[in-house]
Amino acid sequence: MAKLLRQSLVMLLLLTIVTGVVYPLLVTGVAQGLFPAQANGSLVMEHDKAVGSRLIGQSFTDPRYFWGRPSATSPMPYNGAASGGSNQGPTNPALTAAVKQRIEALRAADPGNTAPVPVDLVTASGSGLDPHISPAAAQYQVARVARVRGLPQATVKALVATHTSGRQLGVLGEPRVNVLELNLALDALQKR
Amino acid sequence: MTASDYLQVGLFLAVLLLLVRPLGAYMALVFADEPNRVTRMGSWVERGIYRLCGADPAQDMSWKRYALSMLVFNVLGLLAVYVLQRVQQWLPLNPQHFGAVPPDSAMNTAISFATNTNWQGYGGESTMSYLTQMLGLAVQNFLSAATGIAVLVAVVRGFVRRSSNGLGNFWVDLVRATLYVLVPLSLMVALLLVSQGVVQNFQAYVDVPVAQTTSYAETVKDAAGNVEKDATGKDLARDVPVTTQTLPMGPAASQIAIKHLGTNGGGFFNANSAHPYENPTPLSNFIEMLAIFLIPGGLCVTFGRMVGDRRQGWAILATMLVIFAPLAIGVIAAEQAGNPALRDLAVDAHASALQAGGNMEGKETRFGIASSGLFAAVTTAASCGAVNAMHDSLTPLGGLVPMWLMQLGEVIFGGVGSGLYGMLAFAVVAVFIAGLMVGRTPEYLGKKIEAYEMKMASLAVLLPCVLVVVGTAIAVMAPAGVAGIANPGAHGFSEVLYALSSASNNNGSAFGGLSANTPFWNVLLGVCMFLARFPLAIAMLAMAGSLAAKRHVPASAGTLPTHTPLFVTLLACVVIVVGALTFLPALALGPIAEYLMSLQ
């Protein structure tokens, strides 16, 4: 038994070195060499300063911005340090109440728009950090953003189109609009 | 269901089938008894390891010796993870200065990762230091998977060997599974994932300014930590401005690769594969799903080659696919149908060219319905347990399928190694039932199946069932168990049933609303995870030991061929009947009741 314990212990130590030290360091080295931007968080840079990540959504509540998915992270939405979903079940009255409230907030920001709201705009994402909305959800907000910013709808629509990606390789996933990049582009457009 | 939904499922299965054959053939060489071109490549590393350990690679272990080595090695690994979590505050690579993990949570996590379950009671980015993730959790991701493969290979040798006492050498199988299979595949998958945007670095978390300053309400607390009330008795709150966002960092890709390849499933971040840094694009999602099924599927091919009849492996794989494909489509259809509770609100949940529609609560926009539904089926058919959508927010029927896939015993692909040895237990039961029908002594792969083998196979089939049912009963009777429930009504019971199904079949996914990081839940689930893993593996090794000692029985006219569609059907029926009979009453109280109520 003592021999078996010693064998196990040394084996654990050696395989820990291989899988816990050599392997992650090797991956880090190669990744930093081949894909430095991705390996370090796909940061969006402005004037050599990071202003966010292309992959991590931010909270937008101002009518002049496109709003992203509702986020259930705590204590504030889009808390990058504590990802997670609402975990509300489909029959939970709290979910229905939250959806109702989100519809009201969207309508209050855009009175007169009585179109049904695209479902992704009123349901919380799984990570609470979803950087995307569906093209339908972007389209729903175009008129509002254009009006509040005093921009022609066509300009806003064109900007949405440039920040829309289709299915990857034509098949995988869903078409989507990157909210942070779109909003930063809107701000940049009006700064000029 | 849209055309795109079917296309994504079809593409996944097609690419999977293309990959399992070469991988299966390669693994057959890795675990062959005789030296070959594959094992010669790394023989110098192997020899060094065996010399340092003082292990004799030529020793042919009896099943008892094999099981004991497996158990001692795994328990040591478990203790190492426990200790690492308890002392992480004094160790390097802890830029966020996380403290020691509490004992009950640390024990639960240690068992969880050593048993290939990877149930997570804690939030990754707020609990574990980089060192703990790398040296503790990531290492067990590899070693628990390698253990599963080793045990499987030993069980298959039980069918192959004739009048023999040995099942091979645990150390050799363990080292080869790690060095020849898991590490090279993980390297490839990790780099593919980084190319898509999964982070891989050792920086501290990055603070960035946010584009729009927002605020959130925080309750005001007095010096004693009690919430202060205003004149009307309401909680006093103040607005806290939010001007920065913290972006988590870390060596994620290296761990996520093995998390999927080893059917582990423990996320680097709390949101697991829903987190954009853990699964940034639809392509990374596709790779992660493939990585989950790759080795369990490939091992079916390996099995066929080891027993000298490739059709036997394809028959097992076909059985898995026959059960998997309709259930995967079932999840997607249920989720695409959407949540009836939102039907009367001004919500547009129809699928169109501009949106996925359906039930998007807990799902990511980039994955929509098809990539989320398929992932949910893949991760629970295999005992992975990674999630890219919150299972707690699935529709009643969409949530029933993942739960039932786990309850089937994690044999539809299942865990790396453990899925196939679980399925072989079912195959033994199936030939036994067929034997009863015609009144002959059953045989499988040229070995007579007798009372001892049946006892061990039944034990392996029934043990997880008992753990799920008894565990659920205990949890719903104990106030400490019910206290963790988040959602009201039948869905609350589903949370409990899901947790026990997950732990008792070493899956690790969760209906995440359940607050399971309490001493009660940590202990209950810890016990279930441990008992579902090691006694079951030992039972299968015992069966293999008995089989190896037997003589080969040549096939005769009365032998049931086990590579035909007839056997595939029989085996699938046995798996489904055991799963349905055991769990239908419990499922009726949870997802089925919720579904019926949602129709009103």
Side-chain angles (χ1 to χ4, degrees):
Chain A
M1 195 65 193
K3 189 182 164 216
L4 179 57
L5 268 175
R6 202 184 61 85
Q7 282 178 346
S8 300
L9 204 62
V10 178
M11 183 66 83
L12 180 63
L13 205 69
L14 292 175
L15 290 182
T16 297
I17 293 170
V18 173
T19 62
V21 181
V22 176
Y23 160 73
L25 289 180
L26 190 61
V27 175
T28 309
V30 180
Q32 291 287 342
L34 289 180
F35 313 106
Q38 291 97 316
N40 294 316
S42 307
L43 300 178
V44 180
M45 308 300 281
E46 264 179 21
H47 311 298
D48 289 337
K49 266 187 60 193
V51 294
S53 165
R54 202 164 52 77
L55 294 177
I56 307 286
Q58 293 185 5
S59 179
F60 291 100
T61 53
D62 193 315
R64 48 189 278 112
Y65 287 116
F66 281 89
W67 297 1
R69 299 284 305 276
S71 161
T73 61
S74 144
M76 72 291 228
Y78 288 92
N79 181 359
S83 56
S86 73
N87 283 316
Q88 283 166 339
T91 53
N92 190 338
L95 171 66
T96 320
V99 171
K100 267 188 193 144
Q101 197 202 338
R102 289 162 190 157
I103 296 173
E104 278 163 23
L106 280 160
R107 294 208 159 155
D110 189 12
N113 185 353
T114 55
V117 185
V119 64
D120 60 310
L121 208 49
V122 290
T123 47
S125 63
S127 63
L129 303 171
D130 195 342
H132 301 113
I133 51 176
S134 67
Q139 210 169 60
Y140 176 85
Q141 302 183 70
V142 163
R144 182 194 78 218
V145 174
R147 192 183 65 246
V148 177
R149 286 185 177 257
L151 286 168
Q153 279 202 22
T155 312
V156 179
K157 259 190 192 151
L159 215 50
V160 169
T162 56
H163 289 93
T164 304
S165 347
R167 291 206 167 91
Q168 206 168 3
L169 310 177
V171 196
L172 300 176
E174 298 294 331
R176 57 211 181 276
V177 180
N178 190 303
V179 179
L180 176 65
E181 287 187 317
L182 173 60
N183 284 331
L184 290 175
L186 276 169
D187 279 351
L189 187 73
Q190 294 197 304
K191 224 177 264 172
R192 269 186 275 144
Chain B
M1 292 273 297
T2 63
S4 159
D5 294 347
Y6 284 109
L7 196 61
Q8 296 199 39
V9 176
L11 187 69
F12 171 73
L13 293 178
V15 175
L16 176 72
L17 285 175
L18 276 179
L19 293 177
V20 291
R21 200 188 156 113
L23 179 68
Y26 169 77
M27 289 193 289
L29 288 175
V30 169
F31 296 107
D33 290 339
E34 299 79 29
N36 54 57
R37 60 194 153 89
V38 174
T39 53
R40 265 183 222 115
M41 273 190 314
S43 61
W44 57 279
V45 186
E46 272 192 69
R47 271 202 305 274
I49 292 179
Y50 303 138
R51 192 172 312 136
L52 283 170
C53 294
D56 173 15
Q59 185 195 5
D60 196 20
M61 294 182 175
S62 68
W63 80 262
K64 284 180 185 156
R65 187 74 199 169
Y66 201 101
L68 186 67
S69 308
M70 183 272 291
L71 196 62
V72 169
F73 178 73
N74 276 272
V75 169
L76 266 183
L78 190 160
L79 292 176
V81 178
Y82 177 79
V83 171
L84 209 51
Q85 292 175 86
R86 299 290 293 148
V87 301
Q88 66 172 2
Q89 70 276 25
W90 297 313
L91 298 176
L93 280 181
N94 186 3
Q96 301 306 118
H97 306 291
F98 294 132
V101 182
D104 59 307
S105 170
M107 198 60 197
N108 179 283
T109 303
I111 295 175
S112 173
F113 278 73
T115 57
N116 198 255
T117 310
N118 306 52
W119 170 272
Q120 292 174 293
Y122 61 91
E125 63 268 59
S126 54
T127 314
M128 299 291 175
S129 75
Y130 293 166
L131 191 82
T132 309
Q133 297 252 27
M134 274 172 58
L135 287 191
L137 306 186
V139 167
Q140 283 305 317
N141 275 343
F142 278 100
L143 301 187
S144 65
T147 299
I149 297 177
V151 171
L152 168 77
V153 171
V155 169
V156 176
R157 287 194 192 112
F159 288 103
V160 177
R161 297 201 172 168
R162 295 167 192 186
S163 315
S164 157
N165 280 323
L167 292 178
N169 185 298
F170 175 69
W171 304 121
V172 173
D173 293 337
L174 179 80
V175 168
R176 290 192 177 166
T178 309
L179 294 187
Y180 293 97
V181 181
L182 296 172
V183 169
L185 282 175
S186 298
L187 264 176
M188 281 187 259
V189 170
L191 291 174
L192 282 172
L193 291 178
V194 176
S195 79
Q196 294 299 303
V198 177
V199 291
Q200 179 72 25
N201 58 55
F202 288 96
Q203 301 166 23
Y205 295 180
V206 176
D207 279 337
V208 293
V210 291
Q212 183 204 327
T213 302
T214 54
S215 66
Y216 68 95
E218 184 191 63
T219 51
V220 182
K221 289 184 181 162
D222 61 20
N226 297 316
V227 178
E228 288 189 25
K229 311 273 185 187
D230 65 7
T232 59
K234 273 202 198 146
D235 289 357
L236 209 57
R238 63 164 168 247
D239 276 349
V240 183
V242 181
T243 55
T244 59
Q245 184 183 41
T246 301
L247 302 177
M249 293 286 148
S254 52
Q255 188 168 328
I256 292 161
I258 185 61
K259 156 197 156 198
H260 289 261
L261 283 164
T263 63
N264 292 286
F268 194 83
F269 303 112
N270 187 43
N272 209 298
S273 277
H275 198 293
Y277 276 164
E278 190 149 341
N279 191 2
T281 67
L283 182 60
S284 69
N285 190 65
F286 193 74
I287 295 167
E288 290 185 4
M289 289 192 297
L290 274 178
I292 295 173
F293 270 6
L294 193 58
I295 298 179
L299 282 173
C300 293
V301 176
T302 307
F303 160 71
R305 289 184 178 238
M306 284 179 76
V307 299
D309 181 359
R310 295 179 191 185
R311 297 170 305 180
Q312 302 292 344
W314 290 112
I316 298 281
L317 188 61
T319 311
M320 294 177 174
L321 284 172
V322 161
I323 298 178
F324 172 76
L327 288 175
I329 288 174
V331 186
I332 297 174
E335 292 308 298
Q336 191 73 68
N339 181 356
L342 306 184
R343 206 175 287 145
D344 297 332
L345 305 180
V347 174
D348 177 10
H350 292 97
S352 73
L354 295 180
Q355 67 165 8
N359 173 30
M360 284 299 286
E361 180 70 26
K363 294 192 181 63
E364 299 282 295
T365 309
R366 60 193 179 282
F367 306 138
I369 299 297
S371 296
S372 302
L374 181 59
F375 196 109
V378 167
T379 195
T380 49
S383 79
C384 182
V387 295
N388 79 346
M390 296 302 119
H391 287 193
D392 213 345
S393 297
L394 294 173
T395 59
L397 294 183
L400 181 148
V401 172
M403 209 183 305
W404 197 53
L405 273 167
M406 296 188 297
Q407 290 165 347
L408 290 181
E410 289 300 7
V411 296
I412 313 304
F413 291 90
V416 164
S418 61
L420 185 50
Y421 65 68
M423 191 55 129
L424 292 178
F426 272 103
V428 165
V429 173
V431 293
F432 175 75
I433 291 172
L436 285 183
M437 289 180 195
V438 293
R440 275 183 58 99
T441 309
E443 299 155 20
Y444 187 49
L445 306 171
K447 291 292 174 86
K448 273 208 166 70
I449 304 298
E450 290 166 304
Y452 185 78
E453 289 77 34
M454 272 313 293
K455 274 184 208 156
M456 292 303 141
S458 309
L459 193 67
V461 166
L462 294 179
L463 181 66
C465 299
V466 171
L467 289 173
V468 174
V469 175
V470 174
T472 305
I474 292 173
V476 292
M477 285 191 295
V482 179
I485 293 174
N487 282 288
H491 196 86
F493 177 74
S494 297
E495 286 181 345
V496 173
L497 182 61
Y498 195 102
L500 268 306
S501 304
S502 176
S504 308
N505 288 288
N506 293 140
N507 180 279
S509 68
F511 270 15
L514 186 77
S515 304
N517 198 3
T518 61
F520 173 86
W521 278 106
N522 278 331
V523 170
L524 177 68
L525 297 177
V527 169
C528 286
M529 290 187 284
F530 191 89
L531 291 181
R533 177 75 170 180
F534 298 114
L536 201 154
I538 292 169
M540 290 306 289
L541 286 171
M543 184 186 91
S546 157
L547 286 172
K550 296 189 181 197
R551 281 182 300 121
H552 182 79
V553 189
S556 67
T559 306
L560 173 75
T562 51
H563 60 267
T564 58
L566 178 71
F567 183 73
V568 169
T569 313
L570 177 68
L571 180 53
C573 287
V574 170
V575 172
I576 289 172
V577 166
V578 171
L581 288 184
T582 316
F583 295 107
L584 205 57
L587 290 169
L589 294 176
I592 296 175
E594 191 186 16
Y595 172 69
L596 295 175
M597 285 192 300
S598 77
L599 291 181
Q600 291 178 344

